[in-house]
Amino acid sequence: MDEGGQLPIGTAPQEQNTLEQMSPSTIQPASAPDILRYRYHHGTSLGSVFVLEQWLSPAMFVDGSGGGSELDAVNASLRQSGLAATKRKWENHWNTAVSDSDWEWLANSAHCTSIRLPVGYFTLGPAFCSGTPFDGQPAQVYIDAWAAVKAFVLKARSYGIGVLIDLHALPGGANPDAHSGTSSGKADLWNNPVNLALSQKCLVFIAQEVRSAAELTNGVIGLELCNEAVNNAPGLYGWYDSVIAAISKIDSSLPIYISDAWDLSSAIGYVNRIGKLRAGITNPVVVDTHKYYCFSDTDRQQSPQQIIARVSKELGELDGHDGSVVDHGAAQVVVGEYSCVLSEQTWSQVLASQRSGLTNMFGQVQGERWRQRSGGSYFWTLNMNWNDGGEWEFSHQTRSSNVSPPTHLTLPGSQVRAKIANAQNSRSRTRIDAQAAHNLYWDQHAPGVPMEHWRFGAGWDAGFSDAVSFSQSRVSGVLTGTGADKIGMLDVWIRKRVIESRQEGQYLWEFEQGLRQGISDFYRLAGI
């Protein structure tokens, strides 16, 4: 029924019986955690804070470190300075990585909605280091690391910014790189039951903390199971199944992010399967894909213009897999890492005087494409602790206007209110027209088929209201800051609402179509 308690427009008598048999909907107005988790995410990763990388934080690596990983740095510091001094140094690094002025800039100038925060299994404390290379004295450095993560999330939330906790460094390593915590050069997570079990234990602990710890509950937007899993990692999706099932028992609403293991098509196929309405998992599962254009031989051989042209076709793997959760499940992607970096071989193909303009074009084209086909993006990385981080540094690229926030995040409150009011003024007429067009189309294309068009109207009402709730969240005080939020994680939001509608049957797709159109009609009317 519509908001006035009447049968939706276009409800035929035979549809009324179906309507009356439905379980009551559990759809409620979008809450602050809903908006934090499902809005379009514009942000940055925070590299080399809880998982060190020497090229980003050379000051944390004393002479004799011998490698560029967290373990190399902490062992060298322990040898040189002892436990107490090393612990103080590490805690100072965690607690001062983002200053109050940085937070102010992130919220009000860069207009970030969230931060992707890499952590390691060692960040969880000594109990999770037993039997690992961090066992013993290194583990004692991290006694208060998890408390620092909680403080970070709480601080971010005070600025209206959410945090995606990314288990970046796992026991054994999801990949052989130093940002997995050690310089072993191996990806020994996979095919190692002990490491896989410990990794799951870490993720279950984090999920339990997000569920119960006040500092985390209202600020964490999701949990990423691993970072950059090696391509064709043996047992990858079986491990995902196990971890997701375990987390679902703790918190069935927590968004779960997975690495695409450099194979986006396979990852999308996986989330389609697990994102089906009857898959038994209600957690939204999101694919994290990383987009760099400076490492491969193909990248280096191409000119900046050729690479820029490639960007407009990125994320095409989604085509035919998103847009209808009733048909094939949800398919949601975020770009968890990207940059404005191109190789010097690529830059050698143009004049030096062209570099600034092409870097701007490269950054802007990426931002536009990520907004078109993803639920959000995170630049790598916020800052570098030496000189000007250039094309790797979010702060520099934002100040140079090479990376820009979505326009809706920059709107002053007065414009947001006016745009919402304009859309609301046209709501009734637009809903009538949308329902009539839906009915007419199917009456013409499927004459005599007893569909249930009331579902479309019910979906439209819910979608329009959701879009209003997201857009007015800041001006109404639900969240802090200026601007308007949009539903960016659209496929998983639609899945959530379809489940909450408690509707079933062969015409459930009509509810989904109405839901999607209600959302898009609001944005069209509001100009957001």
Side-chain angles (χ1 to χ4, degrees), residues 275-496:
K276 289 185 181 296
L277 295 175
R278 295 184 179 277
I281 298 292
T282 58
N283 298 77
V285 182
V286 181
V287 178
D288 173 15
T289 190
H290 295 176
K291 295 296 180 183
Y292 290 119
Y293 301 88
C294 56
F295 295 124
S296 72
D297 289 340
T298 298
D299 294 334
R300 289 190 289 268
Q301 290 166 6
Q302 289 187 326
S303 69
Q305 294 91 334
Q306 288 174 310
I307 290 173
I308 289 168
R310 282 168 51 194
V311 172
S312 64
K313 300 179 180 64
E314 289 286 17
L315 308 183
E317 295 92 339
L318 278 166
D319 295 346
H321 292 274
D322 64 345
S324 180
V325 300
V326 171
D327 287 339
H328 42 58
Q332 189 70 64
V333 169
V334 298
V335 179
E337 293 183 19
Y338 74 105
S339 76
C340 286
V341 177
L342 298 175
S343 73
E344 289 306 313
Q345 185 175 333
T346 290
W347 286 121
S348 71
Q349 300 179 50
V350 297
L351 298 174
S353 60
Q354 295 177 278
R355 181 163 180 160
S356 177
L358 286 168
T359 300
N360 177 264
M361 186 181 301
F362 181 43
Q364 291 295 322
V365 167
Q366 286 187 89
E368 181 180 359
R369 186 56 177 170
W370 310 153
R371 289 189 289 274
Q372 288 172 346
R373 291 303 277 130
S374 81
S377 60
Y378 298 94
F379 198 91
W380 185 271
T381 180
L382 173 58
N383 289 315
M384 301 177 74
N385 293 344
W386 49 276
N387 297 326
D388 169 10
E391 291 141 1
W392 283 112
E393 191 174 79
F394 179 72
S395 58
H396 180 76
Q397 294 306 298
T398 299
R399 291 185 171 100
S400 300
S401 299
N402 297 334
V403 173
S404 301
T407 302
H408 61 267
L409 296 177
T410 68
L411 296 172
S414 58
Q415 284 192 31
V416 174
R417 292 186 186 92
K419 287 175 177 290
I420 292 172
N422 288 339
Q424 292 280 36
N425 289 338
S426 300
R427 176 172 183 160
S428 295
R429 182 72 259 168
T430 304
R431 190 231 198 244
I432 291 170
D433 291 345
Q435 182 75 68
H438 176 82
N439 295 358
L440 178 62
Y441 178 88
W442 289 107
D443 288 347
Q444 290 177 341
H445 287 78
V449 177
M451 294 187 182
E452 297 169 354
H453 296 327
W454 63 267
R455 295 178 186 263
F456 178 89
W460 193 98
D461 287 335
F464 195 98
S465 294
D466 284 344
V468 171
S469 293
F470 275 70
S471 295
Q472 70 183 11
S473 61
R474 303 185 190 211
V475 296
S476 66
V478 173
L479 298 178
T480 59
T482 59
D485 282 304
K486 293 184 69 172
I487 304 170
M489 307 286 281
L490 184 60
D491 239 37
V492 286
W493 179 258
I494 294 292
R495 180 178 184 266
K496 169 179 162 66

